[in-house]
Amino acid sequence: MKKFFIPLYIGTILFFVACSSDDNIIPDIEEPQEEQAAATAEDYPTQYFMWQVMNTFYFWQGDVANLADNKFSGPNDPDFIDFLASGSDPSDFFYNSLCNNHVNSVGEESAIDRFSGAVADYRDLLNSLQGISSSNGVEFNLYLANDLSSVYGVVTYIMPDSDASDKDIERGDVFTGVNGQALNINNYIDLLFGEDTSYTLNMAEFDNNNIVNNGNEVTLTKVENFSENPILINKIIEQNGLKIGYLMYNSFLAAYDDQLNEVFGTFKSENIDELILDFRYNPGGRVSSAIQIASSIYGAHTDEVFIRPRFNDKLQEQFGTPDNFTDTTFDSNTPINVLGLSRVYVITSDNTASASELVINGLEPYIDVVQIGGTTVGKNEFSNTFVDDPEGAFIYNAERESQINPDNLWGLQPLLGRNENADGFSDYTDGLVPDYLLDEDIENLGILGDENEPLLALTLSVISGETAKRSLSQPYPANYLTNSKMFRPTKDNMFMDGLLKNFN
């Protein structure tokens, strides 16, 4: 291995200071010129930072030729300098030159890496990981119309206390345009996720399997630094003499771990018989929060494995220590409330990813996990946030904020590895398939948390044993495209707290 790579058994990075060399240009006799210093890796700080992180931490480091340890002789290798200089656009450099067939480069069909990310300002990543963003409070799915060009949106839920919460818009509403422009495959990103903080949705409705504009408009304004509470609904449903806890949890965010623990405390004090976790709109988040939820369900068995991380060959021996179930919250060390259940019901969809899937897979070896709804995304890899702080091993640490290079604020969220459960299973890249399949019907979404809402109603019928008596209607034939959460910096990443804990 070349000497300028990040050492694997210490928590700091050793840099080689690039040396300058003389140009072979004969100066003019009458007007002597100063010697020009040769370019060094330090002249391309963003690309150099990206390469060092990916060369050490990236899960597929061994499969990317540009990241090979013998590709360059050192940071002063002219070929290495030329390589860094070729990345005039850091984003393109990251996705095209450092990632393993990233979806942004090769498309969905040929992609191996679907989830690694780079953003120009690491603070956007941090805010997103805490549920903080610029938001008007409307979450929605987007679909392709029958012509495979036009796009329409369907509201999935409204965040409480947001700009949208007191506007005339609700779950199930349909929109086809923004500011009078019809949405299509070429403009929907700019219109819905561009820099405009305010826009007007042009509303529509279903009419005999057609979507027609109804002339209504809703003007929405994004609020900076809006914080979404991921605990959207928690309640107890009584049915046939059973107490059933219901929790709709929409993101694994550390800032709400203590509040989440209080919800489980209520379930415990009410002595619930069954538990329903509604993850249908949960794209993932922090692994420690997933461990907390799983431990509250199964038990504080700190001697039993919840997950085993699989890193690249450089890191596996040092950092592949299993994460067990926990008896406290990660940040506040508050004792967790434990239900000790032998079964849990989980509602999923094609928006369910990452840490949500981790809870399902991690609990499978220990209790009966009954999955209801749609097949999940299939994101079994985890990531971490990296910044240009070489002495901190590039791993973001709030205590070292002042040490981050102020001239390079780029943040990386590359995939670092895969998590397998106690049985060694991690192969669910095609998604986790439900035991009871039912996709949401966008013509009949129902009211979240209501016992008649289709997915919750099906789950309750499974619990009561009356599933066979249910008559399930055929959902509207929708061609799913994406959803609003995929345009946040963290998208559906699984943030691995453990690496930060073990590396420093």
Side-chain angles (χ1 to χ4, degrees):
M1 186 187 301
K2 301 304 175 187
K3 297 288 188 176
F4 74 111
F5 299 119
I6 301 174
L8 300 184
Y9 296 95
I10 59 176
T12 58
I13 307 300
L14 297 178
F15 279 115
F16 275 63
V17 179
C19 300
S20 62
S21 60
D22 295 337
D23 292 329
N24 295 318
I25 300 175
I26 300 175
D28 187 280
I29 296 176
E30 286 79 19
E31 298 181 10
Q33 298 180 357
E34 293 184 5
E35 296 179 349
Q36 298 294 315
T40 71
E42 301 292 350
D43 293 321
Y44 306 96
T46 300
Q47 293 83 353
Y48 190 25
F49 149 67
M50 289 179 169
W51 187 89
Q52 290 178 94
V53 169
M54 297 293 277
N55 169 263
T56 297
F57 296 102
Y58 190 46
F59 184 49
W60 291 286
Q61 181 267 339
D63 298 316
V64 179
N66 289 330
L67 297 176
D69 291 342
N70 59 0
K71 175 75 172 179
F72 307 107
S73 63
N76 299 324
D77 184 338
D79 290 338
F80 185 57
I81 305 303
D82 289 343
F83 172 66
L84 298 181
S86 69
S88 57
D89 183 328
S91 181
D92 288 345
F93 179 73
F94 178 79
Y95 293 116
N96 298 328
S97 300
L98 301 181
C99 290
N100 186 16
N101 293 312
H102 197 280
V103 64
N104 288 10
S105 299
V106 301
E108 189 71 37
E109 291 292 325
S110 304
I112 294 175
D113 184 346
R114 296 179 291 161
F115 304 107
S116 291
V119 298
D121 192 329
Y122 73 90
R123 291 166 294 194
D124 292 335
L125 272 176
L126 300 179
N127 285 337
S128 186
L129 285 165
Q130 298 174 49
I132 299 172
S133 63
S134 175
S135 175
N136 56 37
V138 178
E139 294 293 352
F140 51 84
N141 287 344
L142 292 172
Y143 302 89
L144 279 174
N146 292 334
D147 61 9
L148 300 183
S149 176
S150 301
V151 172
Y152 64 94
V154 178
V155 177
T156 51
Y157 69 94
I158 304 295
M159 300 180 199
D161 303 318
S162 66
D163 177 70
S165 63
D166 59 0
K167 300 289 180 67
D168 186 19
I169 188 168
E170 62 183 7
R171 172 174 166 82
D173 284 350
V174 182
F175 57 90
T176 57
V178 174
N179 298 332
Q181 297 186 60
L183 292 169
N184 61 51
I185 195 66
N186 297 315
N187 68 14
Y188 79 91
I189 293 178
D190 288 337
L191 291 176
L192 289 168
F193 308 105
E195 295 182 358
D196 290 344
T197 59
S198 181
Y199 57 67
T200 298
L201 294 179
N202 307 118
M203 310 306 291
E205 59 191 31
F206 294 103
D207 183 14
N208 294 324
N209 281 342
N210 294 313
I211 299 174
V212 296
N213 294 336
N214 60 20
N216 295 334
E217 296 182 342
V218 179
T219 299
L220 301 164
T221 301
K222 296 178 182 178
V223 177
E224 288 292 332
N225 299 321
F226 179 82
S227 180
E228 177 188 2
N229 187 334
I231 307 169
L232 187 65
I233 304 170
N234 68 96
K235 60 186 295 187
I236 294 175
I237 300 169
E238 297 195 22
Q239 175 184 272
N240 299 328
L242 296 177
K243 285 188 175 182
I244 303 167
Y246 172 80
L247 170 63
M248 184 163 210
Y249 186 65
N250 290 334
S251 188
F252 290 79
L253 301 176
Y256 296 90
D257 282 352
D258 287 333
Q259 187 174 334
L260 180 66
N261 192 37
E262 292 173 4
V263 171
F264 277 91
T266 299
F267 290 159
K268 181 178 181 180
S269 65
E270 291 291 331
N271 196 28
I272 64 170
D273 301 288
E274 305 283 359
L275 174 65
I276 300 171
L277 296 178
D278 196 335
F279 287 164
R280 76 182 80 180
Y281 302 131
N282 192 322
R286 194 162 126 160
V287 170
S288 59
S289 299
I291 296 174
Q292 177 184 323
I293 286 182
S295 301
S296 287
I297 294 169
Y298 169 57
H301 303 294
T302 57
D303 58 340
E304 296 186 67
V305 172
F306 177 64
I307 53 170
R308 288 189 180 92
R310 293 296 175 188
F311 294 89
N312 65 33
D313 290 342
K314 287 184 174 185
L315 301 180
Q316 181 59 34
E317 183 177 351
Q318 186 180 7
F319 302 118
T321 304
D323 276 309
N324 293 351
F325 290 90
T326 186
D327 55 2
T328 64
T329 61
F330 188 83
D331 286 334
S332 66
N333 290 318
T334 303
I336 64 168
N337 292 299
V338 174
L339 301 179
L341 299 174
S342 60
R343 177 175 53 242
V344 65
Y345 298 85
V346 186
I347 297 175
T348 62
S349 75
D350 49 10
N351 291 344
T352 306
S354 193
S356 296
E357 295 169 300
L358 186 67
V359 171
I360 297 171
N361 191 50
L363 284 174
E364 283 281 4
Y366 300 100
I367 66 174
D368 184 16
V369 181
V370 183
Q371 185 182 340
I372 296 163
T375 300
T376 65
V377 170
K379 185 181 184 300
N380 53 359
E381 299 100 351
F382 57 84
S383 64
N384 208 320
T385 303
F386 293 88
V387 294
D388 194 356
D389 175 17
E391 292 185 2
F394 299 108
I395 298 172
Y396 175 76
N397 183 341
E399 296 178 358
R400 293 185 55 83
E401 191 94 25
S402 62
Q403 304 303 310
I404 297 172
N405 181 1
D407 297 323
N408 176 31
L409 297 181
W410 277 81
L412 302 183
Q413 198 79 21
L415 295 182
L416 308 184
R418 288 178 175 161
N419 280 316
E420 61 185 32
N421 66 16
D423 291 339
F425 179 73
S426 65
D427 187 16
Y428 52 90
T429 54
D430 292 329
L432 296 170
V433 180
D435 301 288
Y436 298 86
L437 179 62
L438 179 63
D439 291 324
E440 285 198 304
D441 182 356
I442 59 176
E443 277 192 301
N444 179 32
L445 287 179
I447 300 171
L448 291 174
D450 186 279
E451 295 174 36
N452 295 312
E453 183 273 313
L455 283 176
L456 179 54
L458 175 58
T459 307
L460 292 173
S461 73
V462 172
I463 293 174
S464 67
E466 298 180 352
T467 307
K469 300 179 182 180
R470 288 188 53 81
S471 176
L472 303 178
S473 61
Q474 186 69 23
Y476 180 90
N479 189 357
Y480 177 76
L481 177 62
T482 186
N483 69 83
S484 51
K485 292 188 177 182
M486 291 303 98
F487 293 86
R488 297 175 181 175
T490 51
K491 300 182 181 179
D492 46 11
N493 270 320
M494 182 174 5
F495 181 70
M496 191 70 167
D497 321 81
L499 181 62
L500 177 64
K501 176 181 62 180
N502 294 334
F503 201 85
N504 288 332

